[in-house]
Amino acid sequence: MTSNSTGLSSSGFSDAGLRRLREVLARHVESKKIPGLVALVGRGGHTHVEAIGTMRHDGGAPMRRDTVFRMASASKPVTMAAAMILLDECRLRLDDPVDPWLPELADRQVLKRPDGPLDDTVPALRPITVRDLLTSTFGLGVDFESMASPIRAATFERLDYSVASGPAPEPDEWMRRLGELPLQYQPGVRWQYDLSNEVVGVLVSRVTGRSLESFLRERVLDPLGMEDTAFHTPAHKIDRMPPLYGPDPQTGEFLVWDEAAGGRASAPPAFQGAGGGLVSTADDYHAYFRMLLNHGMHGSERILSRAAVELMTTNRLTPGQLAAREAMFGNVAHLSSGQGSHGGWGFGMAVRTHRGDYAPAGQFGWFGGTGTSVYADRTNQLTGVLLTQVGLSTPDSARAMSDFWTTLYQAID
């Protein structure tokens, strides 16, 4: 493509590659499976954005670059920065027990068998540490291999606040409920998804004596100019937020999981969920991941230490923990178009430990059950953000994510 060389070198992407990216994403919208999306790709100092389709499945306002999306689990990489600042400042230490701040987690009992009855327990061999929480290995969480176990049912009943379950109680009550449960595994033994991130949010709040959001805003969001990132969407921005759809798995009908105005994201929550509670925009997430690519710097301001960024964005799991994680996501790869099934885990995000598709080893980031996907990679100095309003009740948004990354990596100059 030598004839296009000036266009190539200026953005870090080929013009033809960006055209193909738009065509592939437009196909998903034209299929009527995804009403609209916003995609952002950044490389070096250059950014390219596509906003395609409409906010609602039946038409109406178009998607815009500043549309505000529910980030779901893609919140994890951003909220984790608050804990990393506390590590940088020696207000937390990786291998200290969390008991002083989270007394609800002191003196744990642990199930004798992961799928056994809740009263058949032994004492924990050691306390839960900060590291256990940051690596998602503290002993409880989502585990696709034991979805039918008593502990899974008990955890879900007490602590879930998904679309179907309604909002969570305030953090102290939520922690009290968590403290009533035994651990499924000994601390540090097994990687399990999600729950630890929520506990990290409470930990940050208790160490700082402030809400998670106020600390995150002062130290991360405001310095990065992430003014649309928060735990709810205020009234003057609510027209920038689409409804959240969860299509019926059988019929594909667009069922509304959450409306914008009057919905769950429209008011400040009692529980600021570090694991999935943020709303944000493509540009805000780009700013955050650019900071990570820049080793913790934003312009001339340091947000995180270089070492903290390396800890977060490289694999922290042992071979044994890694095997459990790979099995877990490998078993659902056919349903999720491979989302999450490429190896390691750092703090609050996935890290590719092997090349299983178009993205290189070392790529870091995560995706969300509301149809969001954000990753970056140092090899190509690249950031990609794909935001939709379609939850993962069907594979449609997962397939769009997969096609986005496949096409994006081909567009690199």
Side-chain angles (χ1 to χ4, degrees), residues 75-288:
S75 304
K76 292 173 170 65
V78 173
T79 57
M80 187 55 74
M84 303 312 292
I85 289 167
L86 297 179
L87 288 177
D88 275 346
E89 296 180 347
C90 302
R91 295 163 78 181
L92 284 176
R93 297 179 199 91
L94 281 171
D95 295 304
D96 276 1
V98 298
D99 303 3
W101 302 284
L102 304 172
E104 298 93 340
L105 295 183
D107 305 317
R108 294 288 77 200
Q109 290 290 309
V110 183
L111 295 180
K112 284 184 186 170
R113 293 198 337 268
D115 59 350
L118 299 184
D119 55 0
D120 190 16
T121 61
V122 294
L125 297 172
R126 63 163 176 81
I128 293 167
T129 64
V130 173
R131 185 187 300 272
D132 297 330
L133 289 179
L134 298 192
T135 54
S136 290
T137 59
F138 85 105
L140 275 176
V142 179
D143 204 324
F144 297 149
E145 289 178 21
S146 55
M147 295 303 262
S149 64
I151 186 64
R152 171 62 189 153
T155 307
F156 193 78
E157 179 193 341
R158 282 175 176 75
L159 303 172
D160 181 71
Y161 55 98
S162 65
V163 173
S165 313
E170 49 82 31
D172 291 351
E173 168 61 15
W174 189 87
M175 285 302 303
R176 186 191 68 75
R177 295 180 189 180
L178 176 59
E180 291 178 342
L181 296 169
L183 301 181
Q184 189 175 15
Y185 292 92
Q186 289 285 347
V189 167
R190 187 179 174 92
W191 187 88
Q192 292 175 288
Y193 186 52
D194 196 45
L195 199 58
S196 62
N197 291 92
E198 307 294 13
V199 182
V200 169
V202 179
L203 177 66
V204 167
S205 176
R206 290 188 179 175
V207 172
T208 59
R210 316 166 52 173
S211 74
L212 170 62
E213 183 164 20
S214 72
F215 183 69
L216 195 66
R217 182 159 307 289
E218 180 195 330
R219 301 300 300 273
V220 180
L221 304 179
D222 282 352
L224 288 172
M226 296 172 67
E227 57 189 40
D228 290 322
T229 304
F231 284 99
H232 82 288
T233 304
H236 68 281
K237 297 181 182 179
I238 202 76
D239 62 328
R240 286 166 51 195
M241 173 174 268
L244 171 62
Y245 296 109
D248 183 296
Q250 269 67 54
T251 66
E253 178 194 354
F254 281 105
L255 307 175
V256 175
W257 272 355
D258 190 39
E259 271 296 353
R264 288 183 53 179
S266 69
F271 186 93
Q272 295 174 352
L278 290 180
V279 298
S280 192
T281 61
D283 280 292
D284 277 13
Y285 259 67
H286 182 225
Y288 181 78

Side-chain angles (χ1 to χ4, degrees), residues 272-315:
Q272 295 174 352
L278 290 180
V279 298
S280 192
T281 61
D283 280 292
D284 277 13
Y285 259 67
H286 182 225
Y288 181 78
F289 275 77
R290 278 278 303 279
M291 178 271 292
L292 295 182
L293 281 180
N294 213 17
H295 309 287
M297 294 294 290
H298 177 67
S300 59
E301 185 172 3
R302 182 161 287 289
I303 309 294
L304 295 172
S305 71
R306 189 181 186 108
V309 173
E310 284 178 16
L311 267 176
M312 290 174 81
T313 60
T314 54
N315 178 52

